[in-house]
Amino acid sequence: MGTVGEKIASVEITSFRPIRDFGGWGIRFGKEATAYFMSGNRGVLITGSFHRKYILGSDTPERLKSVIQYAVAKENQDEEESNQMT
């Protein structure tokens, strides 16, 4: 995530208006979130543990959400196992 130690707190599918909300496509810094998108108006909204928000544009936001959730679950599981060893 954006800051050392920040973790993903939530992931949800979102729609946005690139020109109105962020002034166009690409890497954009808005009032509500930092956005990364090349085309379209759908993606996932990731909220970090420090309440920072990021939007990742995607033609298949459902799939992207699933992949991110899987990675977060795997990371949490690995951390849990590591903590049990110490």
Side-chain angles (χ1 to χ4, degrees):
M1 299 289 314
T3 303
V4 175
E6 187 173 19
K7 300 206 180 264
I8 293 176
S10 68
V11 181
E12 58 189 84
I13 295 172
T14 189
S15 294
F16 50 87
R17 298 168 295 189
I19 294 174
R20 187 172 190 178
D21 296 341
F22 296 98
W25 290 268
I27 299 172
R28 300 293 177 154
F29 303 93
K31 294 176 186 174
E32 299 293 320
T34 300
Y36 304 86
F37 43 80
M38 298 306 296
S39 64
N41 64 349
R42 296 180 67 216
V44 295
L45 172 64
I46 300 171
T47 303
S49 57
F50 299 155
H51 305 289
R52 294 185 182 179
K53 295 183 179 185
Y54 307 88
I55 296 174
L56 303 178
S58 176
D59 292 333
T60 55
E62 296 82 3
R63 184 174 180 188
L64 180 57
K65 178 183 174 185
S66 294
V67 170
I68 294 169
Q69 288 176 323
Y70 175 82
V72 169
K74 179 72 172 130
E75 181 180 346
N76 291 341
Q77 180 183 9
D78 291 347
E79 281 184 10
E80 215 172 274
E81 289 173 1
S82 176
N83 289 340
Q84 290 176 357
M85 293 178 150
T86 56

